[in-house]
Short mmCIF file of all heavy atoms in Angstrom, two decimals:
data_model
loop_
_atom_site.label_atom_id
_atom_site.label_comp_id
_atom_site.label_asym_id
_atom_site.label_seq_id
_atom_site.Cartn_x
_atom_site.Cartn_y
_atom_site.Cartn_z
N LEU A 1 0.85 -1.17 -0.01
CA LEU A 1 0.01 0.00 0.06
C LEU A 1 0.85 1.21 -0.02
O LEU A 1 0.52 2.27 -0.71
CB LEU A 1 -0.97 -0.06 1.25
CG LEU A 1 -2.05 -1.04 1.16
CD1 LEU A 1 -2.84 -1.04 2.49
CD2 LEU A 1 -3.07 -0.80 0.03
N GLY A 2 1.91 1.24 0.77
CA GLY A 2 2.79 2.45 0.88
C GLY A 2 3.46 2.64 -0.54
O GLY A 2 3.59 3.78 -0.99
N GLU A 3 3.98 1.55 -1.20
CA GLU A 3 4.50 1.73 -2.48
C GLU A 3 3.54 2.27 -3.51
O GLU A 3 3.83 3.17 -4.30
CB GLU A 3 5.06 0.41 -3.02
CG GLU A 3 6.25 -0.09 -2.25
CD GLU A 3 6.65 -1.48 -2.70
OE1 GLU A 3 5.86 -2.18 -3.38
OE2 GLU A 3 7.83 -1.93 -2.31
N TYR A 4 2.29 1.76 -3.47
CA TYR A 4 1.30 2.15 -4.35
C TYR A 4 0.99 3.65 -4.19
O TYR A 4 0.71 4.44 -5.11
CB TYR A 4 0.05 1.31 -4.26
CG TYR A 4 -1.06 1.61 -5.30
CD1 TYR A 4 -1.00 1.12 -6.58
CD2 TYR A 4 -2.04 2.55 -4.94
CE1 TYR A 4 -1.98 1.43 -7.49
CE2 TYR A 4 -2.99 2.87 -5.90
CZ TYR A 4 -2.97 2.25 -7.11
OH TYR A 4 -3.91 2.64 -8.12
N LEU A 5 0.76 4.12 -2.96
CA LEU A 5 0.42 5.38 -2.66
C LEU A 5 1.54 6.39 -2.46
O LEU A 5 1.25 7.57 -2.35
CB LEU A 5 -0.40 5.42 -1.27
CG LEU A 5 -1.66 4.59 -1.35
CD1 LEU A 5 -2.26 4.48 0.13
CD2 LEU A 5 -2.72 5.37 -2.15
N GLY A 6 2.76 5.88 -2.51
CA GLY A 6 3.82 6.77 -2.32
C GLY A 6 4.07 7.34 -0.96
O GLY A 6 4.42 8.53 -0.81
N GLN A 7 3.65 6.57 0.00
CA GLN A 7 3.68 7.03 1.44
C GLN A 7 4.51 6.13 2.39
O GLN A 7 4.75 4.93 1.96
CB GLN A 7 2.32 7.11 2.01
CG GLN A 7 1.40 8.16 1.29
CD GLN A 7 0.15 8.29 1.91
OE1 GLN A 7 -0.22 7.74 3.03
NE2 GLN A 7 -0.76 9.23 1.37
N ASP A 8 4.93 6.53 3.37
CA ASP A 8 5.70 5.80 4.42
C ASP A 8 4.69 4.69 4.93
O ASP A 8 3.59 5.04 5.49
CB ASP A 8 6.11 6.66 5.64
CG ASP A 8 6.99 5.87 6.59
OD1 ASP A 8 6.83 4.68 6.69
OD2 ASP A 8 7.67 6.55 7.27
N PRO A 9 5.05 3.40 4.82
CA PRO A 9 4.03 2.31 5.24
C PRO A 9 3.73 2.48 6.74
O PRO A 9 2.54 2.10 7.09
CB PRO A 9 4.84 1.10 4.91
CG PRO A 9 5.82 1.47 3.78
CD PRO A 9 6.17 2.94 4.09
N ARG A 10 4.61 2.90 7.57
CA ARG A 10 4.29 2.95 8.96
C ARG A 10 3.35 4.01 9.36
O ARG A 10 2.81 4.02 10.45
CB ARG A 10 5.69 3.25 9.74
CG ARG A 10 6.63 2.13 9.55
CD ARG A 10 8.00 2.47 10.10
NE ARG A 10 8.60 3.57 9.32
CZ ARG A 10 9.80 4.06 9.43
NH1 ARG A 10 10.53 3.62 10.45
NH2 ARG A 10 10.23 5.03 8.61
N LEU A 11 3.17 5.03 8.42
CA LEU A 11 2.18 6.09 8.84
C LEU A 11 0.84 5.93 8.28
O LEU A 11 -0.12 6.67 8.55
CB LEU A 11 2.71 7.50 8.13
CG LEU A 11 4.15 7.89 8.66
CD1 LEU A 11 4.50 9.14 7.98
CD2 LEU A 11 4.15 7.99 10.18
N LEU A 12 0.58 4.78 7.54
CA LEU A 12 -0.77 4.40 7.08
C LEU A 12 -1.68 4.09 8.33
O LEU A 12 -1.27 3.31 9.19
CB LEU A 12 -0.71 3.35 6.10
CG LEU A 12 -0.09 3.58 4.80
CD1 LEU A 12 0.03 2.18 4.03
CD2 LEU A 12 -0.57 4.56 3.93
N SER A 13 -2.91 4.63 8.35
CA SER A 13 -3.79 4.42 9.48
C SER A 13 -5.02 3.69 8.93
O SER A 13 -5.74 4.12 7.96
CB SER A 13 -4.18 5.75 10.08
OG SER A 13 -5.12 5.53 11.11
N PHE A 14 -5.41 2.58 9.55
CA PHE A 14 -6.54 1.79 9.17
C PHE A 14 -7.68 1.99 10.02
O PHE A 14 -7.58 2.20 11.25
CB PHE A 14 -6.14 0.29 9.16
CG PHE A 14 -5.00 -0.08 8.29
CD1 PHE A 14 -3.80 -0.24 8.75
CD2 PHE A 14 -5.31 -0.27 6.96
CE1 PHE A 14 -2.75 -0.55 7.75
CE2 PHE A 14 -4.33 -0.81 6.00
CZ PHE A 14 -3.03 -0.83 6.46
N THR A 15 -8.89 2.05 9.39
CA THR A 15 -10.13 2.09 10.22
C THR A 15 -11.04 0.95 9.72
O THR A 15 -10.69 0.16 8.78
CB THR A 15 -10.89 3.36 9.89
OG1 THR A 15 -11.20 3.54 8.54
CG2 THR A 15 -10.11 4.66 10.33
N ARG A 16 -12.17 0.71 10.32
CA ARG A 16 -13.08 -0.41 9.96
C ARG A 16 -14.48 0.12 9.81
O ARG A 16 -14.89 1.02 10.60
CB ARG A 16 -13.05 -1.56 10.88
CG ARG A 16 -11.76 -2.32 10.88
CD ARG A 16 -11.88 -3.56 11.66
NE ARG A 16 -10.63 -4.34 11.67
CZ ARG A 16 -10.34 -5.36 10.66
NH1 ARG A 16 -11.29 -5.54 9.73
NH2 ARG A 16 -9.27 -5.97 10.68
N GLY A 17 -15.25 -0.37 8.81
CA GLY A 17 -16.56 0.02 8.64
C GLY A 17 -17.51 -0.65 9.73
O GLY A 17 -16.95 -1.28 10.61
N LYS A 18 -18.72 -0.39 9.59
CA LYS A 18 -19.71 -0.90 10.61
C LYS A 18 -19.73 -2.36 10.76
O LYS A 18 -19.84 -2.84 11.86
CB LYS A 18 -21.12 -0.44 10.23
CG LYS A 18 -21.42 1.06 10.41
CD LYS A 18 -22.80 1.38 9.95
CE LYS A 18 -23.04 2.93 10.10
NZ LYS A 18 -24.39 3.25 9.75
N LEU A 19 -19.40 -3.08 9.60
CA LEU A 19 -19.35 -4.50 9.64
C LEU A 19 -17.88 -5.02 9.62
O LEU A 19 -17.65 -6.20 9.42
CB LEU A 19 -20.13 -5.11 8.44
CG LEU A 19 -21.61 -4.78 8.56
CD1 LEU A 19 -22.29 -5.29 7.29
CD2 LEU A 19 -22.32 -5.45 9.69
N GLY A 20 -16.98 -4.19 9.93
CA GLY A 20 -15.54 -4.68 10.07
C GLY A 20 -14.70 -4.61 8.84
O GLY A 20 -13.54 -4.99 8.89
N LYS A 21 -15.25 -4.06 7.72
CA LYS A 21 -14.47 -4.01 6.53
C LYS A 21 -13.31 -2.92 6.68
O LYS A 21 -13.55 -1.81 7.07
CB LYS A 21 -15.28 -3.69 5.33
CG LYS A 21 -14.47 -3.80 3.97
CD LYS A 21 -15.36 -3.63 2.79
CE LYS A 21 -14.62 -3.77 1.46
NZ LYS A 21 -15.49 -3.69 0.29
N PRO A 22 -11.98 -3.33 6.43
CA PRO A 22 -10.93 -2.32 6.71
C PRO A 22 -10.91 -1.29 5.59
O PRO A 22 -11.18 -1.49 4.43
CB PRO A 22 -9.69 -3.24 6.68
CG PRO A 22 -10.08 -4.35 5.90
CD PRO A 22 -11.53 -4.59 6.10
N ASN A 23 -10.48 -0.02 6.02
CA ASN A 23 -10.29 1.07 5.08
C ASN A 23 -9.08 1.84 5.54
O ASN A 23 -8.56 1.67 6.61
CB ASN A 23 -11.55 1.95 5.16
CG ASN A 23 -12.84 1.30 4.77
OD1 ASN A 23 -13.05 0.89 3.66
ND2 ASN A 23 -13.73 1.18 5.78
N LEU A 24 -8.65 2.73 4.57
CA LEU A 24 -7.55 3.65 5.01
C LEU A 24 -8.16 4.97 5.44
O LEU A 24 -8.94 5.57 4.72
CB LEU A 24 -6.62 3.85 3.73
CG LEU A 24 -5.53 2.77 3.44
CD1 LEU A 24 -4.88 3.07 2.25
CD2 LEU A 24 -4.63 2.61 4.62
N ALA A 25 -7.73 5.35 6.56
CA ALA A 25 -8.33 6.58 7.16
C ALA A 25 -8.22 7.80 6.32
O ALA A 25 -9.05 8.75 6.23
CB ALA A 25 -7.81 6.82 8.57
N SER A 26 -7.00 7.92 5.68
CA SER A 26 -6.64 9.08 4.91
C SER A 26 -7.10 9.10 3.46
O SER A 26 -6.77 10.07 2.65
CB SER A 26 -5.15 9.43 5.06
OG SER A 26 -4.43 8.35 4.57
N HIS A 27 -7.74 7.99 3.02
CA HIS A 27 -8.07 7.83 1.62
C HIS A 27 -9.56 7.32 1.55
O HIS A 27 -9.78 6.16 1.38
CB HIS A 27 -7.16 6.95 0.86
CG HIS A 27 -5.71 7.35 0.81
ND1 HIS A 27 -4.95 7.39 1.88
CD2 HIS A 27 -5.01 7.87 -0.25
CE1 HIS A 27 -3.66 7.92 1.48
NE2 HIS A 27 -3.77 8.17 0.23
N GLU A 28 -10.47 8.29 1.52
CA GLU A 28 -11.89 7.94 1.60
C GLU A 28 -12.29 7.10 0.45
O GLU A 28 -13.08 6.18 0.56
CB GLU A 28 -12.68 9.26 1.63
CG GLU A 28 -14.18 9.07 1.85
CD GLU A 28 -15.01 10.34 1.92
OE1 GLU A 28 -14.31 11.46 2.11
OE2 GLU A 28 -16.24 10.33 1.97
N ASN A 29 -11.85 7.36 -0.79
CA ASN A 29 -12.37 6.74 -1.94
C ASN A 29 -11.42 5.64 -2.53
O ASN A 29 -11.51 5.18 -3.65
CB ASN A 29 -12.68 7.67 -3.08
CG ASN A 29 -13.79 8.62 -2.68
OD1 ASN A 29 -14.84 8.28 -2.17
ND2 ASN A 29 -13.65 9.90 -3.03
N PHE A 30 -10.51 5.18 -1.60
CA PHE A 30 -9.53 4.19 -1.95
C PHE A 30 -10.09 2.85 -1.39
O PHE A 30 -10.33 2.73 -0.27
CB PHE A 30 -8.16 4.52 -1.38
CG PHE A 30 -7.08 3.54 -1.69
CD1 PHE A 30 -6.40 3.70 -2.85
CD2 PHE A 30 -6.74 2.55 -0.79
CE1 PHE A 30 -5.39 2.80 -3.14
CE2 PHE A 30 -5.75 1.74 -1.11
CZ PHE A 30 -5.02 1.87 -2.25
N HIS A 31 -10.14 1.89 -2.33
CA HIS A 31 -10.65 0.58 -1.83
C HIS A 31 -9.58 -0.58 -2.00
O HIS A 31 -8.80 -0.55 -3.03
CB HIS A 31 -11.79 0.11 -2.80
CG HIS A 31 -12.84 1.18 -2.82
ND1 HIS A 31 -13.84 1.21 -1.96
CD2 HIS A 31 -13.10 2.15 -3.77
CE1 HIS A 31 -14.70 2.17 -2.24
NE2 HIS A 31 -14.21 2.77 -3.28
N PHE A 32 -9.47 -1.33 -1.01
CA PHE A 32 -8.46 -2.47 -1.01
C PHE A 32 -9.12 -3.62 -0.24
O PHE A 32 -10.00 -3.52 0.58
CB PHE A 32 -7.17 -2.10 -0.50
CG PHE A 32 -7.10 -2.00 1.06
CD1 PHE A 32 -6.67 -3.12 1.80
CD2 PHE A 32 -7.45 -0.80 1.68
CE1 PHE A 32 -6.66 -2.99 3.15
CE2 PHE A 32 -7.43 -0.76 3.01
CZ PHE A 32 -6.99 -1.85 3.81
N SER A 33 -8.51 -4.82 -0.59
CA SER A 33 -8.95 -6.06 0.16
C SER A 33 -7.72 -6.96 0.23
O SER A 33 -6.95 -7.00 -0.77
CB SER A 33 -10.09 -6.73 -0.61
OG SER A 33 -10.42 -7.94 0.13
N PHE A 34 -7.42 -7.48 1.43
CA PHE A 34 -6.32 -8.26 1.76
C PHE A 34 -6.67 -9.67 2.22
O PHE A 34 -7.64 -9.80 2.92
CB PHE A 34 -5.51 -7.57 2.76
CG PHE A 34 -4.31 -8.28 3.36
CD1 PHE A 34 -3.23 -8.63 2.63
CD2 PHE A 34 -4.38 -8.77 4.66
CE1 PHE A 34 -2.10 -9.38 3.10
CE2 PHE A 34 -3.33 -9.56 5.20
CZ PHE A 34 -2.14 -9.86 4.36
N SER A 35 -5.87 -10.74 1.82
CA SER A 35 -6.17 -12.00 2.33
C SER A 35 -4.79 -12.74 2.53
O SER A 35 -3.85 -12.47 1.81
CB SER A 35 -6.96 -12.77 1.25
OG SER A 35 -7.26 -14.15 1.75
N ARG A 36 -4.83 -13.62 3.51
CA ARG A 36 -3.67 -14.32 3.80
C ARG A 36 -4.12 -15.79 4.10
O ARG A 36 -4.99 -16.03 4.85
CB ARG A 36 -2.80 -13.84 4.99
CG ARG A 36 -1.61 -14.57 5.28
CD ARG A 36 -0.83 -13.98 6.52
NE ARG A 36 -1.71 -14.09 7.77
CZ ARG A 36 -1.85 -15.13 8.48
NH1 ARG A 36 -1.23 -16.30 8.13
NH2 ARG A 36 -2.64 -15.16 9.53
N SER A 37 -3.31 -16.78 3.62
CA SER A 37 -3.49 -18.17 3.87
C SER A 37 -2.16 -18.82 4.13
O SER A 37 -1.42 -19.00 3.11
CB SER A 37 -4.21 -18.86 2.76
OG SER A 37 -4.47 -20.22 3.05
N ARG A 38 -1.84 -19.07 5.39
CA ARG A 38 -0.50 -19.50 5.81
C ARG A 38 0.54 -18.59 5.15
O ARG A 38 0.68 -17.44 5.53
CB ARG A 38 -0.38 -20.94 5.33
CG ARG A 38 -1.37 -21.93 6.06
CD ARG A 38 -1.11 -23.36 5.71
NE ARG A 38 -2.07 -24.15 6.50
CZ ARG A 38 -2.17 -25.43 6.42
NH1 ARG A 38 -1.28 -26.13 5.57
NH2 ARG A 38 -3.05 -26.15 7.10
N ASN A 39 1.42 -19.12 4.25
CA ASN A 39 2.52 -18.20 3.76
C ASN A 39 2.10 -17.53 2.42
O ASN A 39 3.03 -17.01 1.76
CB ASN A 39 3.74 -19.03 3.54
CG ASN A 39 3.60 -20.21 2.61
OD1 ASN A 39 2.48 -20.68 2.43
ND2 ASN A 39 4.67 -20.71 2.07
N TRP A 40 0.83 -17.56 2.05
CA TRP A 40 0.48 -16.87 0.80
C TRP A 40 -0.36 -15.61 1.19
O TRP A 40 -1.16 -15.62 2.11
CB TRP A 40 -0.44 -17.82 -0.01
CG TRP A 40 0.37 -18.89 -0.69
CD1 TRP A 40 0.52 -20.16 -0.38
CD2 TRP A 40 1.15 -18.67 -1.87
NE1 TRP A 40 1.38 -20.92 -1.15
CE2 TRP A 40 1.77 -20.04 -2.15
CE3 TRP A 40 1.45 -17.69 -2.74
CZ2 TRP A 40 2.64 -20.26 -3.24
CZ3 TRP A 40 2.31 -17.95 -3.89
CH2 TRP A 40 2.90 -19.25 -4.11
N VAL A 41 -0.07 -14.49 0.43
CA VAL A 41 -0.80 -13.33 0.69
C VAL A 41 -1.32 -12.75 -0.71
O VAL A 41 -0.78 -13.03 -1.71
CB VAL A 41 0.11 -12.22 1.33
CG1 VAL A 41 0.22 -12.53 2.74
CG2 VAL A 41 1.39 -12.04 0.58
N ALA A 42 -2.47 -12.07 -0.62
CA ALA A 42 -3.03 -11.47 -1.82
C ALA A 42 -3.65 -10.08 -1.54
O ALA A 42 -4.15 -9.94 -0.41
CB ALA A 42 -4.19 -12.36 -2.36
N LEU A 43 -3.56 -9.24 -2.48
CA LEU A 43 -4.09 -7.83 -2.32
C LEU A 43 -4.72 -7.38 -3.61
O LEU A 43 -4.12 -7.54 -4.66
CB LEU A 43 -2.94 -6.84 -1.93
CG LEU A 43 -3.23 -5.42 -1.82
CD1 LEU A 43 -4.23 -5.08 -0.70
CD2 LEU A 43 -1.86 -4.63 -1.64
N ALA A 44 -5.88 -6.73 -3.48
CA ALA A 44 -6.61 -6.14 -4.62
C ALA A 44 -6.76 -4.66 -4.33
O ALA A 44 -7.18 -4.35 -3.13
CB ALA A 44 -7.96 -6.80 -4.90
N ILE A 45 -6.55 -3.78 -5.27
CA ILE A 45 -6.74 -2.38 -5.12
C ILE A 45 -7.63 -1.76 -6.18
O ILE A 45 -7.47 -2.13 -7.42
CB ILE A 45 -5.30 -1.62 -5.16
CG1 ILE A 45 -4.48 -1.89 -3.86
CG2 ILE A 45 -5.44 -0.16 -5.32
CD1 ILE A 45 -3.12 -1.43 -3.94
N SER A 46 -8.48 -0.87 -5.85
CA SER A 46 -9.25 -0.12 -6.75
C SER A 46 -9.50 1.31 -6.28
O SER A 46 -9.73 1.52 -5.09
CB SER A 46 -10.65 -0.74 -7.03
OG SER A 46 -11.43 -0.04 -7.86
N GLU A 47 -9.44 2.22 -7.12
CA GLU A 47 -9.76 3.61 -6.82
C GLU A 47 -11.19 4.01 -7.18
O GLU A 47 -11.50 5.24 -7.07
CB GLU A 47 -8.68 4.55 -7.45
CG GLU A 47 -7.23 4.29 -6.94
CD GLU A 47 -6.24 5.31 -7.47
OE1 GLU A 47 -6.63 6.33 -7.99
OE2 GLU A 47 -5.08 4.92 -7.52
N THR A 48 -11.90 3.10 -7.65
CA THR A 48 -13.26 3.49 -8.19
C THR A 48 -14.37 2.58 -7.66
O THR A 48 -15.58 3.04 -7.66
CB THR A 48 -13.34 3.33 -9.75
OG1 THR A 48 -12.94 1.99 -10.11
CG2 THR A 48 -12.31 4.27 -10.39
#
């Protein structure tokens, strides 16, 4: 996320919606989804 947004990864702040979906506090219209299964990780990003 830091590489994509050009920001320091440590300064990214996460929030959660009413049902627990994670969001980035400083990017209202930025959408992402993350998944991990043991040693595999996956990330999807959309700005729309």
Side-chain angles (χ1 to χ4, degrees):
L1 291 175
E3 289 174 346
Y4 184 87
L5 296 168
Q7 295 186 4
D8 184 337
R10 293 168 296 182
L11 300 181
L12 296 174
S13 178
F14 295 98
T15 62
R16 290 189 177 273
K18 293 180 179 179
L19 296 173
K21 187 173 184 178
N23 304 291
L24 280 175
S26 57
H27 295 75
E28 182 177 351
N29 296 316
F30 182 84
H31 305 276
F32 75 94
S33 181
F34 170 72
S35 179
R36 182 183 61 80
S37 179
R38 296 186 178 179
N39 60 337
W40 288 98
V41 285
L43 173 66
I45 287 175
S46 174
E47 297 184 21
T48 59

